[in-house]
Amino acid sequence: MSARRWAAGLGGATVLALTAGCGMLGIGGGEEKQSDEQRLVEMLNESRRLESELMAAEYRIVQNCLEAQGHTVHEPWAMEVYEEPETDSLTYGYAHEEFLLPAEEAKEWGFGQWANSMEGSEDPSSEDYYKAQEEKWAEEEGETDYEEPDTSEWDALTPEEQYSWYVAYQGEEYVKESYGTLEEFVGAVEEEAAYEEMTEEELAALEEEAAAEESGEIDVEEDMGWEEPKPGGCQLEMIEALYGEPRLVETEWEAEEGETYTDKTWEYRPENPLYSDPEETMYETIEAEYTAAMADLQGKFIDCITARGYEGWEFTEYNSLPIWEFFGALYYQNASEEEKDMMYGGDSDVEVPEIPEAAGSTYEEWKAYEIQTAVDFSECGEEIGYADASEKAYDEANIKGYKTMEEPVYAWQEEMNNAIAKAQEVLDN
């Protein structure tokens, strides 16, 4: 599945976002109307700004409560407010990027699946491949200003003081479920400190001992459903002050064996409709629009690669090709069932083409076949202009999809602004 940035970014004031949204929705109007994409990007950025601002206010209320009880040093990670960088696009990642690589990359590395195989782990060039991938992703992601929080003051506290802080923060029931009893928590902290002082040889010996003990254990199937303890302490005080009583929400999910389990978690902050659309209206709109726009070109692409000897390939429901699944089957065709379970994409149920005789029978031949496949796919994509058409179609599909969520998101932003105003009142009192 192609990657998407559903997450909201940061941006201007909600009032401006609401005004712009109303104008474009036909509720109001103005002489200067923003483009659909620009307006929607601003909506995402504003949503993320509001989330960060409200989270910071919540933590400040909690800290005031803790400090009133004498807890003046706070666990930095628990109070960390993450601020996602602003985005300038609705789209992040395209389905075709999984099977259409730049010509030079395809010629040098293929799809890179050889590096994930058993033999590939011993291939001297795999290290160069992974290094090149890290540089590629670093360049695409760009630099971030994120710095890890300073934990020195927290680390200087005794385990007993840290445990007391957790209890004051979320309540004894919650802490026992998360960290165990005080004795268990102190033991875990001391054990972690002992690990940090061990040599590499001592750590290796300990891992071997643990592996030996684990091999003799019998697995006992447990109920995989989980119920989160109700928040307590200062966290509950903050929740009740801003939102009223927290809500226990049940979520069902199905395990591989077909059994259904239920998770129960507590929610309180208004949830962004982009993350909680029960009908998946936006996602279905995006997929449907993109699929319809690319249908003809997908047929031409299959014709092109078939003419080059690649028979049996079909696009998946996510408008991509089963690259990783196919080459996983190729490289692990002689592996044991246990080894197959460990391979990348080994649990996929996507149908793949039969392995042709042209792929050869040795690792070196498989790798050469993979590289040639990547080159041929890239050339076919270039011949029919697939990548450019795909980007255009997916960008337009995202605009249509996000437009279906505008009204709910703007209403949610208003809720968030109200919660921020209430938080400010609490902090002022």
Side-chain angles (χ1 to χ4, degrees):
M1 183 188 297
S2 59
R4 303 174 180 82
R5 178 166 295 173
W6 306 123
L10 306 173
T14 302
V15 175
L16 294 179
L18 283 164
T19 304
C22 291
M24 296 307 291
L25 289 169
I27 302 174
E31 294 296 323
E32 298 181 3
K33 291 186 177 180
Q34 301 166 304
S35 69
D36 285 344
E37 183 174 18
Q38 181 184 357
R39 184 185 73 257
L40 293 167
V41 166
E42 289 183 2
M43 180 185 75
L44 296 188
N45 288 332
E46 171 64 6
S47 295
R48 186 61 185 99
R49 187 195 68 79
L50 290 171
E51 288 176 323
S52 297
E53 185 176 341
L54 182 54
M55 187 182 300
E58 290 175 353
Y59 288 158
R60 186 62 256 171
I61 293 171
V62 168
Q63 289 169 6
N64 287 351
C65 172
L66 290 167
E67 288 166 10
Q69 300 177 40
H71 299 283
T72 57
V73 175
H74 306 295
E75 205 274 83
W77 289 106
M79 299 287 111
E80 180 78 354
V81 178
Y82 175 70
E83 297 185 15
E84 185 177 342
E86 288 193 4
T87 181
D88 57 5
S89 173
L90 299 177
T91 309
Y92 181 75
Y94 299 92
H96 67 267
E97 292 175 335
E98 297 178 4
F99 61 92
L100 290 183
L101 302 175
E104 289 302 315
E105 183 178 345
K107 185 176 181 180
E108 185 170 9
W109 306 116
F111 297 108
Q113 182 66 355
W114 55 270
N116 297 318
S117 67
M118 292 182 293
E119 295 91 341
S121 63
E122 305 296 329
D123 190 328
S125 57
S126 63
E127 185 175 341
D128 294 332
Y129 167 73
Y130 285 121
K131 182 178 180 181
Q133 291 302 298
E134 288 177 5
E135 293 175 351
K136 173 185 176 182
W137 289 116
E139 182 178 343
E140 292 184 3
E141 292 291 332
E143 296 184 3
T144 61
D145 298 328
Y146 176 74
E147 293 184 6
E148 292 189 355
D150 180 7
T151 64
S152 56
E153 286 189 296
W154 174 260
D155 295 337
L157 298 179
T158 66
E160 291 81 4
E161 289 171 328
Q162 292 179 353
Y163 192 85
S164 177
W165 184 92
Y166 284 123
V167 171
Y169 172 33
Q170 291 180 299
E172 189 169 358
E173 181 186 358
Y174 199 101
V175 173
K176 280 186 177 180
E177 177 71 21
S178 302
Y179 301 102
T181 63
L182 173 60
E183 292 74 17
E184 291 170 332
F185 179 79
V186 172
V189 172
E190 292 174 348
E191 187 175 342
E192 184 178 352
Y195 283 151
E196 293 178 355
E197 295 179 0
M198 286 185 178
T199 64
E200 291 185 6
E201 292 76 11
E202 290 174 328
L203 284 171
L206 192 64
E207 288 177 2
E208 289 182 9
E209 182 181 341
E213 291 178 358
E214 190 174 313
S215 64
E217 294 179 356
I218 300 176
D219 292 332
V220 178
E221 186 175 344
E222 298 180 356
D223 181 4
M224 297 177 68
W226 180 68
E227 182 171 348
E228 180 186 25
K230 183 178 180 179
C234 288
Q235 184 180 45
L236 181 59
E237 286 190 28
M238 176 275 294
I239 293 170
E240 291 175 337
L242 298 184
Y243 311 106
E245 278 292 310
R247 307 176 305 280
L248 186 62
V249 178
E250 296 186 0
T251 304
E252 286 192 354
W253 56 279
E254 189 173 311
E256 291 182 6
E257 301 80 10
E259 297 183 68
T260 300
Y261 299 96
T262 301
D263 287 342
K264 300 178 181 180
T265 56
W266 294 91
E267 296 181 0
Y268 50 90
R269 185 189 304 140
E271 188 173 11
N272 191 327
L274 293 178
Y275 312 142
S276 59
D277 176 13
E279 303 298 326
E280 296 190 345
T281 304
M282 182 177 77
Y283 311 133
E284 290 184 0
T285 298
I286 292 172
E287 290 297 339
E289 291 289 335
Y290 179 72
T291 299
M294 295 302 296
D296 289 343
L297 270 183
Q298 287 179 357
K300 292 180 180 179
F301 182 83
I302 294 298
D303 289 343
C304 181
I305 63 174
T306 300
R308 294 185 178 222
Y310 301 97
E311 298 183 353
W313 286 85
E314 295 181 359
F315 279 87
T316 69
E317 61 179 310
Y318 303 115
N319 293 292
S320 186
L321 294 174
I323 296 296
W324 300 108
E325 292 87 350
F326 173 79
F327 286 103
L330 176 67
Y331 288 109
Y332 283 79
Q333 59 185 290
N334 301 322
S336 66
E337 289 302 317
E338 183 179 356
E339 290 169 333
K340 288 180 180 178
D341 288 340
M342 295 171 60
M343 77 178 184
Y344 182 90
D347 60 350
S348 173
D349 58 359
V350 174
E351 293 187 11
V352 299
E354 292 185 8
I355 299 173
E357 292 184 7
S361 57
T362 66
Y363 165 73
E364 289 75 16
E365 290 175 325
W366 297 336
K367 180 180 178 181
Y369 180 78
E370 177 189 338
I371 292 174
Q372 187 59 53
T373 302
V375 170
D376 287 339
F377 280 23
S378 176
E379 290 178 354
C380 277
E382 185 67 27
E383 286 178 17
I384 63 175
Y386 193 100
D388 289 342
S390 173
E391 290 184 12
K392 182 176 183 294
Y394 197 58
D395 288 345
E396 292 177 351
N398 269 272
I399 290 173
K400 290 186 178 181
Y402 276 97
K403 286 177 71 174
T404 66
M405 298 300 294
E406 275 191 285
E407 290 190 62
V409 170
Y410 290 136
W412 168 83
Q413 287 182 354
E414 188 170 5
E415 280 189 87
M416 294 290 281
N417 266 318
N418 292 337
I420 291 171
K422 194 168 187 178
Q424 189 60 54
E425 291 178 5
V426 173
L427 289 170
D428 289 341
N429 292 333

